[in-house]
Amino acid sequence: MAAYIGTTEVVEEKKQFIAVKLGSEIYGIDIGYVDNIVRMQKITRVPKSQSYFKGIINIRGEIVPVMSIRLKMSFGEDVFTNATRIIILKIEDQGKIGVIVDEVKEVVNLDVDKIDKPNHDSMDNRHSFINGIGKNGEELISLFDIGAMTGEN
Amino acid sequence: MDVSQYLEIFIDETNEHIQSLSDNIMALESEPDNKDVVNEIFRAAHSLKGMAGTMGFKRMQRMTHDMENVFQEVRNDTIEVNSEMIDLLFECLDAIEGYLEIIKETSDEGTNDNEAIIQQLNSFLDGTANAPASAPAAEAPAGESQAGSETPVSKKFLEETLDEDEKRKLKAAAESGKNVYGMTAYVQKDCLLKAARAFLVFKAVEEFAEILVYKPSQQNIEDEKFENDFSIFFSSEEALDKIVDAAKGVSEIEDVVAERIPVEEIDHAPAAEPETAPSLPAPAAGTQAAASKQPASNAAAPKKQAGKPVTSRTVRVDIEKLDELMNQVSELIIAKNSLVSLSVNSGSGTQNQAYQEQIEYLERITTSLHESVMKVRMVPIESVVNKFPRMIRDLSRNLNKKMELFMTGEETELDRTVVDQIGDPLQHLLRNSADHGLESAEIRQERGKPEVGTILLKAFQEGNNVIIEVSDDGNGIDTESVKRKAIERGLVTPEQAENFSQKEIIDFLFMPSFSMAKKITDISGRGVGLDVVKSNIEALGGDVTVKSVYGEGSTFTVRLPLTLAIIQALMVIIGDEKYAISLSSIVSIEEIPMGDIKYVEAKEVINMRGTVIPIVRLNQLLDIEPPEDEQESLTIVIVSKGEKQLGLVVDDLMGQQEIVIKSLGSFIDNSTKIISGATILGDGEIALILDVNTLM
């Protein structure tokens, strides 16, 4: 994605992210992974699965597992409201997976070279799922490392 | 000549020839003087050579040519069959298979000349004086067989014999106002894929006409059981010239003759009895021979059908198309289920009753449609197991043990996807039997067993499952030694091991990298073994069990589902969740008063008509809150696996339903394997499918 800005002819790489809210923080999900966004619906529990999997849902005849990011990142239980959404991600060779977010805010364009590397000094669990910090105006957006987030750990 | 369009036919036919060569070379090994077998091998090698040549696969052609040369000499009794030659012939077969594999992938034969094998082949010939002369001699027999049928182009169909049934068909067509025609097509003498040509001719004719009678029979034509011509009778409203031109348009068809047959002449056509044939004017001596030959081949046809079913020859469909069809049937069944659930919820009344009837009708159709699609996807396991005799022969030599493989039920059918994937596990089990199972000759003698060990592969259908048993009369599993090994490896403490049942001990063999081989051989003992067999079979929705008596032998039983996608299931409710249990594993459903629940070793059991059956509370197993109110009785679904039975306590029954199995995907950890998949119910809700086999 290239955009010309003014007449300076400097090509800036832009990348689109879906900005979502989890608790009080804003997170970004690379739009390239997003297949669909659906409202919260009945999730069928799968016994004996990982605790952060809420279960499976039916997306137009397809079975899609749904994961709680909150539980995976040890944020505590999800609180379902009218704004809660399930974002269906499509992962190559592994199929679809849904992740629960508190709210979907907007689609943001971020300059690739303005994305900072996350600070890995602290061994805090949640940082291992973040692979960049973007800035949208004054707001900071933590960008999810989709591979790490959906993978085993 | 562009041959790419024949590649698939070539691959299929080459596979058949390789299999026939393999079978016959095995037969030759046991009876080296059997001339029929030698001729059969010669013929197969010759056909292979011809086909490879046409397709431009020069290396393959050269290999088969040299094989053919050797057989020419065997036929002439100038060289004798010995075990060295048999070994070499098998190497040749492997090389040809190698070419074929490469051809399958790249449409080209690759660059391996297999020079060493060819030299060895030729060294057999060098032993004989007339080696150089053998090549032209090899060509002769092929020409010979064709010489007999050399007749001028004639209306052969006029001499064809028709039985009563065929006459009736023709008459019916004629009486309905259509013109009935007879046609004979002549295929070029050097044509290699005659059946394919015939098929194309039929296709061309069917554009305009309906083919009523095939001479020789359609099956025989497909099996290439005809000389250089074949005849058909058809009815059409189109001009005859057009149809003849269409048929002539097929390449490698030399000539086509056809003529209208008036209705009154149908009765005068030669009758099926051979006695009547000579009474008709015979225009040429050659055709008379052909006519008298006809009843013979007709008689042969039903005989063949009575034997093994003709496999995967008639229609060739891309497996992907079948998968797609199956998916669509699955979608249809889901849609039907939602109509059913709508109808249950809607009110009563006459209109509703009519609606119900239609729903039932739709249900019957979808069920039979599913069955039909399933049947189309079924193939005999023959294609997988017919490689095994050769494998056992090689193993017998490598291991220096005498053994024999007996197989039954090769015609048992399974879903194509399953058949494609059972080859490796079965091969492993056979190797296991040959290597670990069968004892050395000395030990067998000591135990008073016959010198030649027996391995048995038995396949059969049982309900909705196909069972494949691999058994041997060898050593059996030495449970004491397995136990020692498990203790040695720290898997159990000696105290624990003491209380283990035989089954529990045998289960160790299925654990990853638990190899019992004392020394690592080529064949097995590298620790990638039974655990892989087990996981491969479980991935197909099946399971594997072992029975063994030390000193007498062991039996591995592989149980596979007939179909992967759609099953009949009992829907049950536990708490507020819905689960499906495959109907094929359910024995009965019982309502048991609480007072009848007994305890054995602190575990709940019930006594059903004299058998003590352990019960499992599914709500505990699946972490579901138990019902609050005291129950007076329990609803128990009795399920079975082989001889074992188990009672599953459920809260309520929803009824029987046809369900489409969907995978849970790779994200969710399902290592307990209690849940084998999910299904979408009529109202869009999801129910999980319980795999009761894992509970027993």
Side-chain angles (χ1 to χ4, degrees), chain A residues 7 11 17 24 30 42 45 51 54 57 61 66 72 78 82 84 93 116 118 135 142 145-146:
Chain A
T7 53
V11 182
F17 290 85
S24 56
D30 185 342
K42 190 184 168 197
R45 188 185 69 97
S51 58
K54 300 301 277 184
I57 53 170
V66 177
K72 180 115 184 194
D78 291 85
N82 218 8
T84 307
D93 298 332
D116 296 327
K135 284 184 206 89
S142 311
D145 178 347
I146 302 292

Side-chain angles (χ1 to χ4, degrees), chain A residues 42 44-50 53 56-58 61 63 65 91 94-97 150 152, chain B residues 577 579 621-624 662-664 666-669 672 674-675 678 680 684-686 688:
Chain A
K42 190 184 168 197
T44 306
R45 188 185 69 97
V46 179
K48 312 285 178 202
S49 60
Q50 302 96 316
F53 268 107
I56 49 181
I57 53 170
N58 167 15
I63 301 281
I91 318 279
Q94 282 189 286
K96 289 180 185 166
I97 181 170
T150 57
E152 292 290 325
Chain B
E577 297 181 6
Y579 288 88
L621 182 78
L622 301 168
D623 313 318
I624 300 168
K662 304 231 172 200
S663 151
L664 291 183
S666 58
F667 290 109
I668 288 196
D669 170 38
T672 58
I674 297 173
I675 307 295
I680 294 170
E685 231 186 282
I686 297 173
L688 297 174

Side-chain angles (χ1 to χ4, degrees), chain A:
Chain A
M1 228 167 292
Y4 291 98
I5 295 179
T7 53
T8 53
E9 286 187 28
V10 175
V11 182
E12 281 190 42
E13 278 289 330
K14 290 234 180 197
K15 227 175 167 184
Q16 282 190 311
F17 290 85
I18 289 189
V20 299
K21 211 168 153 187
L22 270 175
S24 56
E25 285 180 62
I26 306 289
Y27 292 86
I29 297 173
D30 185 342
I31 209 163
Y33 288 101
V34 178
D35 184 74
N36 200 350
I37 299 175
V38 296
R39 284 183 163 272
M40 192 60 203
Q41 51 183 279
K42 190 184 168 197
I43 300 178
T44 306
R45 188 185 69 97
V46 179
K48 312 285 178 202
S49 60
Q50 302 96 316
S51 58
Y52 52 83
F53 268 107
K54 300 301 277 184
I56 49 181
I57 53 170
N58 167 15
I59 300 286
R60 287 189 229 105
E62 209 177 327
I63 301 281
V64 179
V66 177
M67 186 180 97
S68 160
I69 309 182
R70 277 173 177 259
L71 287 177
K72 180 115 184 194
M73 302 206 305
S74 326
F75 279 10
E77 279 289 337
D78 291 85
V79 185
F80 299 138
T81 68
N82 218 8
T84 307
R85 294 287 182 276
I86 301 171
I87 300 185
I88 312 292
L89 306 174
K90 201 169 180 175
I91 318 279
E92 205 154 310
D93 298 332
Q94 282 189 286
K96 289 180 185 166
I97 181 170
V99 293
I100 302 169
V101 298
D102 290 350
E103 194 183 337
V104 174
K105 304 279 283 183
E106 59 188 325
V107 176
V108 293
N109 282 305
L110 298 181
D111 296 341
V112 170
D113 43 346
K114 290 206 178 124
I115 294 174
D116 296 327
K117 285 280 144 226
N119 181 3
H120 270 300
D121 288 348
S122 70
M123 289 307 288
D124 193 356
N125 189 21
R126 75 182 73 168
H127 281 286
S128 52
F129 303 122
I130 306 296
N131 61 2
I133 311 279
K135 284 184 206 89
N136 182 32
E138 287 304 296
E139 215 169 35
L140 286 182
I141 300 180
S142 311
L143 305 177
F144 277 127
D145 178 347
I146 302 292
M149 187 174 70
T150 57
E152 292 290 325
N153 63 322

Side-chain angles (χ1 to χ4, degrees), chain B residues 35 69 120 212 249 282 414 424 438 465 474 501 580 674 681 683:
Chain B
K35 279 284 168 287
N69 285 351
Q120 270 177 283
L212 302 167
L414 267 171
D424 284 350
L438 297 178
N465 289 309
S501 67
I674 297 173
L681 302 177
D683 55 6

